[in-house]
């Protein structure tokens, strides 16, 4: 009985800790992307064009790309709760400085302060989550953390946009600072202190050389770049198709709610038919962008397409990141860093490319740019049927982050369903984490 009570108490404690990590992730992603929903207000308030206001997102993403790896390496040994508290305090400061920014230059500085720690936060959150739950629940714990990303786009940005329209864009960022402050208050109470993680055996640069990883990164970068080239300017685009400034919030909320359906759909398909689901979602997204380019100002049809866009896009991160983790089970931390860098390159590159199209060709041309980029991604995925997006899904061990022991083998790598290997393969790997001989050299089967 005492054992049952102890386990129940532990699960409740872990759930409370995961809630704190979820809130931290939600706050950080909303901080990064909220300017996309408030471009007209930011443009007017800071006295710059909407394309320059869009650089508040692009510069944020590029700083993440440049500083995440060195800062993460220097702070890897920090106790994880302390690291979370320091990072969250930086977000409080950044959002308050942005809310009070008297000029565009001050706003840029405020954004770069948060960007300097954003990637470090996302390097730490999954590992911290796995320490809050029993070994058999680590996959779900990591899924909870990454669900905060979808929740931020589904609810954080629409609600922040609604606050910005009802009050002011400054009020929206003050509210974000309050959310970050809640994490500061809750973390010391609900999160245990844990030691820092050991250095990974495979660096992010070395991860690019693993079979399939570079292909997945390029495909991810292209489809995400297409999405963000138009989503970074979603407010002016919605105005172009006939949506009022006040109506942008409800449309983005519908976009986000459709995204919840997309996440659920990929949750069902990611383990059963990952390649087929990735091809369908990417191809359908390219078709939606092409249709938006054709429909022009047909408001009702365009709004339906925007909602479908939200459903399709929200499902892609889980499919693409799952492919990356499965491609290199021996280097999941490094591959995760590569994935984060690729996504943020897409955010920054999409904002810049979309801004150039907006200035030179007008807002109506944005969906065409998105369609071309998504189509290129689809062709890469279609052709990568061996390592990156294999025709047969891998069964057996689930992808998990490296554990505290410093062993880069996933904790649940031993699985009765794994097939036998040759003695040479077994000697080389030193464990039973590979499901076939080919995996010893490629990192995956099929």
């Amino acid at each position: 009985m005492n054992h049952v009570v102890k386990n129940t108490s532990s699960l409740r404690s872990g759930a409370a800790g995961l809630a704190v990590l979820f809130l931290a992730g939600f706050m950080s992603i909303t901080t990064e992307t909220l300017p996309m929903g408030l471009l007209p207000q930011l443009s007017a308030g800071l006295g710059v064009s909407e394309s320059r206001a869009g650089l508040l997102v692009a510069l944020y993403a590029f700083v993440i790309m440049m500083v995440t790896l060195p800062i993460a390496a220097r702070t890897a040994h920090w106790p994880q709760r302390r690291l979370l508290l320091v990072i969250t305090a930086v977000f409080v400061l950044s959002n308050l400085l942005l809310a009070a920014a008297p000029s565009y230059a001050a706003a840029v500085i405020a954004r770069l302060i948060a960007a300097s720690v954003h990637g470090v936060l996302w390097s730490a959150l999954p590992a911290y989550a796995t320490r809050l739950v029993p070994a058999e629940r680590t996959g779900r714990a990591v899924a909870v953390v990454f669900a905060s990303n979808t929740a931020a786009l589904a609810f954080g940005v629409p609600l922040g946009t609604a606050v910005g329209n009802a009050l002011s864009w400054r009020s929206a960022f003050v509210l974000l600072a309050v959310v970050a402050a809640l994490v500061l208050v809750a973390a010391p109470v609900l999160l245990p202190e844990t030691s820092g993680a050991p250095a990974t055996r495979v660096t992010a640069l070395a991860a690019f050389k693993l079979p399939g990883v570079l292909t997945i990164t390029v495909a991810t970068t292209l489809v995400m770049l297409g999405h963000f080239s138009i989503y970074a300017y979603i407010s002016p685009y919605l105005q172009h198709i006939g949506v009022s400034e006040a109506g942008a919030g409800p449309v983005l909320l519908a976009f986000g709610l459709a995204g919840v359906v997309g996440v659920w759909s990929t949750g069902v398909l990611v383990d059963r038919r990952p390649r087929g689901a990735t091809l369908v979602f990417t191809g359908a997204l390219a078709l939606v962008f092409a249709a938006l380019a054709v429909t022009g100002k047909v408001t009702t049809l365009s709004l339906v397409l925007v909602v479908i866009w939200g459903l399709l896009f929200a499902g892609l991160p889980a499919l693409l990141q799952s492919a990356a983790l499965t491609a290199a089970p021996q280097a999941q931390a490094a591959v995760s860093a590569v994935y984060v860098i690729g996504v943020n390159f897409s955010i920054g590159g999409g904002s810049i490319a979309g801004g150039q199209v907006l200035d030179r060709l007008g807002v109506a041309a944005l969906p065409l740019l998105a369609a071309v980029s998504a189509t290129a991604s689809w062709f890469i995925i279609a052709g990568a049927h061996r390592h990156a997006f294999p025709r047969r899904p891998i069964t057996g061990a689930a992808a998990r982050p490296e554990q505290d022991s410093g062993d880069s083998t996933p904790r649940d790598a031993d699985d009765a369903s794994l097939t036998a290997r040759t003695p040479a393969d077994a000697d080389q790997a030193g464990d039973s984490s590979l499901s076939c001989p080919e995996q010893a050299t490629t990192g995956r089967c099929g």
Side-chain angles (χ1 to χ4, degrees):
M1 178 65 71
N2 289 338
H3 179 68
V4 173
V5 172
K6 183 177 180 180
N7 285 345
T8 301
S9 175
S10 177
L11 288 175
R12 289 176 179 173
S13 175
L18 286 175
V20 175
L21 299 185
F22 177 93
L23 187 60
F26 174 87
M27 175 275 301
S28 68
I29 298 298
T30 304
T31 295
E32 179 178 19
T33 56
L34 182 56
M36 297 177 182
L38 295 172
L39 279 187
Q41 296 90 330
L42 285 166
S43 173
L46 297 173
V48 296
S49 66
E50 290 184 351
S51 60
R52 285 197 71 193
L55 289 178
L56 292 175
V57 177
L59 293 174
Y60 190 107
F62 283 130
V63 169
I64 292 174
M65 290 174 54
M66 291 186 292
V67 307
T68 293
L69 292 179
I71 295 179
R74 288 182 176 273
T75 58
H77 65 283
W78 285 24
Q80 290 185 304
R81 189 174 67 190
R82 185 208 303 174
L83 179 61
L84 176 64
L85 289 172
V86 170
I87 290 174
T88 306
V90 172
F91 272 100
V92 173
L93 174 64
S94 171
N95 281 314
L96 289 177
L97 288 175
L98 179 57
S103 65
Y104 180 73
V108 169
I109 293 172
R111 292 282 291 171
L112 298 189
I113 290 173
S116 66
V117 297
H118 182 107
V120 182
L121 175 66
W122 278 95
S123 296
L125 284 179
Y128 203 169
T130 63
R131 300 188 186 190
L132 301 179
V133 297
E136 65 272 13
R137 293 177 178 266
T138 56
R140 296 180 185 178
V142 173
V144 168
V145 168
F146 281 104
S148 67
N149 192 322
T150 300
L153 297 177
F155 303 108
V157 174
L159 291 176
T161 300
V163 170
N165 287 328
L167 301 176
S168 69
W169 66 266
R170 298 181 188 274
S171 299
F173 287 100
V174 169
L175 181 59
L176 270 177
V178 171
V179 174
L182 289 176
V183 176
L184 280 178
V185 172
V189 178
L190 300 176
L191 285 172
E193 187 63 281
T194 59
S195 60
T200 182
R201 295 178 179 178
V202 182
T203 66
L205 292 178
F208 277 114
K209 299 179 181 180
L210 297 174
V213 172
L214 180 59
T215 301
I216 295 168
T217 302
V218 173
T220 298
T221 299
L222 283 171
V223 71
M224 296 289 179
L225 189 147
H227 165 78
F228 284 108
S229 66
I230 179 172
Y231 190 79
Y233 303 95
I234 189 64
S235 290
Y237 178 75
L238 291 177
Q239 291 179 14
H240 166 72
I241 63 173
V243 178
S244 67
E245 189 172 293
V251 172
L252 289 176
L253 180 59
F255 182 98
L257 291 174
V260 174
V261 178
V263 171
W264 176 84
S265 300
T266 53
V268 173
L269 297 170
V270 67
D271 290 325
R272 299 177 182 178
R273 299 185 179 277
R275 174 178 170 82
T278 306
L279 283 170
V280 169
F281 272 68
T282 306
L285 186 62
L287 291 175
V288 166
F289 287 145
L292 285 172
V294 173
T295 55
K297 295 186 177 182
V298 183
T299 304
T300 302
L301 178 57
S302 295
L303 287 177
V304 171
L305 290 171
V306 166
V307 172
I308 297 173
W309 165 21
L311 184 153
L312 294 169
F313 175 77
L316 278 173
L319 291 167
L320 294 167
Q321 189 160 34
S322 176
L325 294 174
T326 308
Q330 73 277 42
Q332 292 181 349
V335 169
S336 293
V338 168
Y339 181 87
V340 169
I341 290 172
V343 170
N344 280 281
F345 177 85
S346 302
I347 295 172
S351 298
I352 291 176
Q356 290 297 310
V357 170
L358 181 66
D359 287 341
R360 298 172 184 271
L361 301 177
V363 68
L366 290 175
L368 182 59
L369 171 63
V372 171
S373 189
T375 301
S377 177
W378 185 89
F379 276 107
I380 290 175
I381 295 168
H385 52 75
R386 184 178 180 189
H387 298 302
F389 302 96
R391 291 192 175 98
R392 291 181 295 119
I394 296 174
T395 59
R400 300 284 174 84
E402 292 90 341
Q403 302 304 316
D404 296 355
S405 64
D407 186 354
S408 61
T409 301
R411 181 157 44 189
D412 59 345
D414 278 328
D415 190 294
S417 66
L418 300 183
T419 58
R421 302 174 301 173
T422 65
D425 291 329
D427 290 340
Q428 179 182 357
D431 61 21
S432 58
S433 62
L434 303 181
S435 60
C436 64
E438 181 187 348
Q439 195 169 352
T441 55
T442 67
R444 70 182 297 151
C445 295

